[in-house]
C-alpha cells in the first residue's frame, strides 16, 4: 500500500498489553499507543507516501473497487492463457492463482526460452516493462497492481493473442 518501512496495525483493545514473553518491546502495541505511536522513530516520508496512496485508492472507489479491478485484470489474463490451447501455460492451480501476479510459461510447462525472450522483447517495444519472470523460475510474470489500469491489461492480452497467432507454429502439441 505504500513504501517499505510502514506497517499498519489494526488490533482490538482487549488484545493490547498482553504480549508473549518472546515478543520484542517494539511489537508491544500498548507501548506504541502509550507513547502516541512515537516509541520508535517513524518513517515519516513512507507514512506520507502511504497517505497519498490511500487517498488515491479512495478516489478510485475504495478497496472494494480495487478488489473488483484486480479480479477483472487477472481474469483477462487467465482467460487468455486458458484459451491458448497450451501455448501459454500457468503453473499455478486455479484455486491458488493470484490476482496480483500472474506467472506463465510460453510453449509448454517448461517454457521455450527463445519464445519467452521474444515475448519480453516485443512487449517492451509496446511499453510493457518488467514482464520477465523471476530468475529462479523463468517464464513471464505480469503484475496487476492497483496502479495498472484495466485498459493496460487489455493491451497486454491483445498482444498475447497476436503473439500466439504469429508463433503457434513454433510449438508442437
Amino acid at each position: 500500500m505504500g513504501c517499505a518501512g510502514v506497517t499498519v496495525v489494526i488490533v482490538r483493545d482487549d488484545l493490547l498489553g498482553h504480549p508473549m514473553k518472546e515478543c520484542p518491546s517494539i511489537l508491544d502495541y500498548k507501548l506504541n499507543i502509550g507513547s502516541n505511536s512515537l516509541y520508535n522513530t517513524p518513517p515519516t516520508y513512507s507514512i506520507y507516501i502511504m497517505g497519498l496512496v490511500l487517498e488515491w485508492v479512495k478516489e478510485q472507489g475504495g478497496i472494494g473497487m480495487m478488489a473488483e479491478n484486480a479480479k477483472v485484470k487477472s481474469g483477462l489474463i487467465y482467460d487468455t492463457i486458458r484459451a491458448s490451447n497450451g501455448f501459454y501455460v500457468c503453473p499455478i492451480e486455479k484455486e491458488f492463482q493470484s490476482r496480483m501476479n500472474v506467472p506463465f510459461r510460453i510453449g509448454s510447462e517448461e517454457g521455450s526460452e527463445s519464445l519467452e525472450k521474444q515475448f519480453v522483447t516485443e512487449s517492451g517495444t509496446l511499453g510493457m516493462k518488467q514482464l520477465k519472470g523471476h530468475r529462479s523460475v523463468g517464464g513471464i510474470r505480469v503484475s496487476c497492481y492497483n496502479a495498472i489500469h484495466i485498459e493496460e491489461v487489455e493491451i497486454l492480452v491483445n498482444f498475447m493473442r497476436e503473439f500466439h497467432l504469429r508463433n503457434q507454429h513454433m510449438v508442437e502439441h
Side-chain angles (χ1 to χ4, degrees):
M1 301 257 318
C3 300
V6 177
T7 303
V8 175
V9 177
I10 300 171
V11 62
R12 290 190 336 238
D13 288 339
D14 63 314
L15 297 176
L16 294 170
H18 307 289
M20 296 172 64
K21 289 188 299 187
E22 300 84 10
C23 182
S25 59
I26 192 66
L27 297 177
D28 180 353
Y29 296 114
K30 186 163 183 140
L31 286 175
N32 278 283
I33 290 169
S35 59
N36 199 25
S37 295
L38 296 175
Y39 182 72
N40 191 22
T41 304
T44 54
Y45 181 74
S46 297
I47 292 169
Y48 170 74
I49 294 299
M50 185 171 204
L52 292 177
V53 169
L54 291 172
E55 192 173 303
W56 178 84
V57 167
K58 187 176 179 181
E59 289 169 2
Q60 302 305 307
I63 293 173
M65 183 57 73
M66 295 292 110
E68 184 58 36
N69 287 346
K71 284 182 195 176
V72 169
K73 293 183 292 190
S74 62
L76 286 167
I77 299 167
Y78 288 123
D79 289 348
T80 302
I81 292 168
R82 284 190 279 277
S84 74
N85 295 319
F87 183 80
Y88 298 115
V89 179
C90 179
I92 310 299
E93 294 177 43
K94 189 172 182 177
E95 64 265 23
F96 302 113
Q97 291 176 344
S98 170
R99 292 184 187 150
M100 287 293 122
N101 291 295
V102 180
F104 60 91
R105 302 305 304 254
I106 301 176
S108 69
E109 286 186 28
E110 296 78 33
S112 163
E113 191 174 319
S114 62
L115 280 173
E116 290 171 353
K117 185 175 181 179
Q118 181 182 345
F119 184 94
V120 170
T121 300
E122 289 183 22
S123 62
T125 65
L126 299 173
M128 296 177 229
K129 307 293 183 205
Q130 303 296 318
L131 292 177
K132 186 176 180 184
H134 191 275
R135 68 181 173 271
S136 67
V137 294
I140 306 296
R141 186 186 84 162
V142 179
S143 295
C144 297
Y145 298 123
N146 291 332
I148 301 295
H149 299 279
I150 292 171
E151 296 79 17
E152 294 168 313
V153 174
E154 289 170 338
I155 292 168
L156 170 68
V157 298
N158 287 334
F159 169 75
M160 289 173 69
R161 291 178 187 128
E162 184 225 287
F163 187 87
H164 173 207
L165 290 174
R166 282 189 291 109
N167 295 285
Q168 62 186 345
H169 67 278
M170 303 201 34
V171 177
E172 292 182 31
H173 286 291

